Amino acid sequence: MRRQRRPARRKPTQRRPPEPRGHWFLVAIAALLMAGALLLNAYAHNVVGETQPPPGDFGDSAELEHIRSGGPLVNVSGSEPLSARPKPRRVALTFDDGPDPRWTPRLLDLLREHHAKATFFVLGAHVAEHPELTRRVVAEGHEIGNHTYTHADLGAVPAWRARVEMSLTQKTLAAAAGIHTRLARIPYSSGPGAVGYGQLAAMRLLGDEGYLVTFTDVDTQDWSRPPVDEMVLASLARTVEGEGAVIMFHDSGGDRTRTLAAVDRLLTRLEKKGYTATTLTDAVGLPTAHTAASADERVLGTVVGFAQRASFALVEALGWFLAAAGVLTLLRMTLFVALAWAHARRTRGTPANTGVPQWAAPPPVSVIVPAYNEAAGIEATVRSLAETDYPGPVEVVVVDDGSADETGRIAASLGLPGVRVIRQPNAGKPAALTTGIAHAAHDILVLVDGDTVFEPSTIGNLVRPLADRTVGAVSGNTKVGNRRGIIGRWQHIEYVVGFNLDRRAFDLLGCIATVPGAIGAFRREAVASAGGVSADTLAEDTDLTMAISRRGWRVVYEERARAWTEAPGSLGQLWRQRYRWCYGTLQAIWKHRGAVVERRPFGRRCIGYLTLFQVILPLLAPVVDVMALYGLFVGDPLPVVAVWAGFVAVQALTGWYALRLDGERASVLWVLPLQQFVYRQLMYLVVIQSVATAVLGARLRWHTVRREGTFTLAGPPVPEPSVAGRRRRPVRGGSAPRRRSRP
């Protein structure tokens, strides 16, 4: 378990920039921009503010009757509606909802083969997404009409929304083709005979904006995929007497294979009957509906189009990222559970059948306890070390690192055999460890934090793997003692799953990144080969472990060597601790980045894993939450809930297996779903803060964690002979279990 220490005093000339704060403003801006992009994407796809055709509002009035009895092109800008019909033997083919990258080009090719012209009532969102198609439509002599930006029913939305829909489409047309249009078609409209009060209000608004409102003589309803012959016959029915007609098709919104076949067959029949397929304005004898757009409108349209395309690209990229992150997370969980199972099978059993070398005689051990302001728990720590059942010689060296409380006096006053107290001015934990190592009499070194309690069998279990001369360090099994509250339970799960389960896997892969400061055994020779305990980082335990591994020593995990530690009891204390851990880990990764290109696989496995799963994915973790909220409140919430429940279920299964391996009760897993709403966010915010601190070159100050003396009253934990096939009695009363007397 890593401990907090004050840094050595620095000269004024060595001042570093303060810890950053302004980056949170940038994070908030990034979150707002992402939320805005998601909303724009949802709006462009008619998810936000989605409209559906209103219930029947047919009604009756003189104005409505005038429109219903008139032609399909209506002008309502004057005192009374004016309408126009196509001239005889002229057909205006109209296509709604495009342009579409699949169907519109095929339709344009077909029209060119028949030397026909048509009118395309486009959606502004589609124009912004595919401006090149709009340019092609105009370049080939076809006409453009405004069909709103998102296919919103103008009879069902407020006037301001209707104006925004039409204005945005005009801007995208300006950017794509340099034009505006005077033609408009209300979504969900059909022939003029079906106009009701809602569409009449929309027509008046469009008339005030200078639009000619277009209906149809023949609605082929190709969106419902009727038979091709049915669409062709319905269209030809209007041409029996040589009349002109406006015919409605669609070039987007689904499979338009039948539409293409119907248009091809219809044009062939019309050509034989002497009809001309032309644009709507030409069919009724009016000038073109296109007008030149101003430079300002083109610029605004370019901005709108860029924003929409950027939002589409962002949403697509986020989708790929979420898929990749989900796959990586599931693969990691599956792999680590499999490796942990293999590790348990390999290491559990009698020493004879595990294949691990054994000591001829128990080697002497020096236990070093760096302590700074640990008066609340130092007595429990030292007593647990002195009362070990390890059969070999044990000395306990307590290094009082300039404590401002009674840490040193309490440790010295215990009068326990083999315990020495060394006092030094405050210089930080690495310096305290270096002092302790220098004063240690033996070559097997056990490093223990001043808030940690050992079980009587811990030292023996911890030094056993060092009988193998290739092993330079051993990581023990850290347990949370104060696990009563929900924060303690969260950390208990994290320690068992995130720390101890992972270390089993890392042991097999040969890439343990950290022998925790709470419990670790080292060969003096290995520490010396690594250059001793360095003060270069705030994660001296990770730094030392990486350095030892790079020198060719093996670092292994011993699950039976258990140490009980006092975890932070509040979110504020937890933040301070994890902030230092994360910042120190970043320093260690950067310091040992050269290991990636070394011949040993340690660097590639360890540095690569830490960079991906402890830096990159946590940095992008807010994206997951934003996308989840987006799915819940904007899209379909069922997939979001299903994915979340699935991941929680997988985590619960992983946690159950990890707790089972450690002999812990699985009932604590009830807090796991709640962990997703507070604890997880705290952890990734810590990573963001740490990366910002590192990038800006600020030096993180040492944060002390307030200790409550968890083990002072309760005593050291209960010793257990083995965890294999047993379930440990859970910690109760906010502390470790009371120790039973030995036989």
Side-chain angles (χ1 to χ4, degrees), residues 3 104 132 170 209 216 298 308 313 370 373 441 465 549 616 648 724:
R3 286 284 299 112
T104 302
E132 72 286 351
Q170 294 283 32
E209 297 288 327
T216 183
R298 295 185 184 187
Q308 181 180 305
N373 287 351
S549 296
I616 296 177
V648 171

Side-chain angles (χ1 to χ4, degrees), residues 342-354:
H343 181 274
R345 286 181 59 88
R346 189 189 73 174
T347 58
R348 291 181 175 178
T350 63
N353 60 32
T354 57

Side-chain angles (χ1 to χ4, degrees), residues 54-59:
D57 61 347
F58 192 72

